[in-house]
Amino acid sequence: MSTLAAPATLAPRRVWLTDLPVLLVAVVWGASYLAAKGITTTHTVVAVLVLRFGVVLPALVVAGWRSLRGLTAAQWRGAGTLGLILAGIFLLETYGVVHTSATNAGLIISLTMVFTPLAEAAARRKRPPRVFLAAAGLSVLGVVLLTQSGGFTRPSPGDLLILLAALARTAHVLAMARVKAVRDADSLSLTTVQLGAAMLVFALLAAAGTGEAPWSVAADFGAREWAGLLFLAVFCTLFAFFVQMWAVRRTSPSRVSLLLGTEPLWAAFVGIVIGGERIGALGVLGGVLVLVGTGLGRRAR
């Protein structure tokens, strides 16, 4: 069984060059809640996922055709396995958001930044640094205050789906670092194979009659829905997972997960500025704690 590789220590300037794209991923993922809610219903989850992935895959295949042909069988299997995990994340998260409140979803999904360092430490059989655990705890407390300001509803089946999505995110981040076969392949090829494997899962579900047909949903889309879909496809899917795979091989899974843990903060920001939502003093305090906790965690090894 392979062991979790410890990335080389980066100079402070190079660390920031790695961290900033990951932080931008957290921003677009935070905005994805509002975008997804605007174009998705219970009966269109699978159809929207097919369209979302179908928009970007052809361009990826064309752009990376030569490097795709250079992948070994082991690399195809490794990236394909990551793609199956990715499909599970999208299904759990999208169905979960549809069946629970955005407040609950933002709180529960943020537990990824706690699950990841704990799982990483278990894989290495090494106790996580106390500073890192304290920083993660501070961030979680901030998320609680941030989301609690909007009112915490009773647990629902959607809450369980989001919790499972958080666990799946942890598995995905750790798998990217542990699967030896994918370490030497370029990020574009690995992203393409992952998205292709996930797209295959969604297409099979759609062919089996899970929800409305993708072409029917596409025909009903207007300009606003297509704009939301393109945002989800290009920024929240293609850009986000390319950067995540690129960054996790240059730093640590825990560091990437902690930066992505600011996602609920950006979700609240987008909700306030674009969605017209309001948060009280607890929400403001929670946002500050998320930023402070993330900043402290970045400095912890």
Side-chain angles (χ1 to χ4, degrees), residues 9 34 121 163 228 230 266 288:
T9 302
L34 190 61
L163 179 61
L230 290 175
W266 301 112
V288 172

Side-chain angles (χ1 to χ4, degrees), residues 183-222:
R183 292 178 187 169
D184 298 327
D186 68 287
S187 297
L188 177 60
S189 298
L190 296 179
T191 301
T192 302
V193 176
Q194 279 194 84
L195 298 187
M199 172 69 176
L200 179 60
V201 173
F202 304 145
L204 290 174
L205 289 175
T210 306
E212 296 185 25
W215 52 84
S216 175
V217 173
D220 291 336
F221 272 4

Side-chain angles (χ1 to χ4, degrees), residues 39 43-55 199-221 226 229:
I39 65 174
H43 302 292
T44 64
V45 169
V46 173
V48 168
L49 288 175
V50 170
L51 295 172
R52 177 176 176 175
F53 280 54
V55 166
M199 172 69 176
L200 179 60
V201 173
F202 304 145
L204 290 174
L205 289 175
T210 306
E212 296 185 25
W215 52 84
S216 175
V217 173
D220 291 336
F221 272 4
W226 277 108
L229 180 69

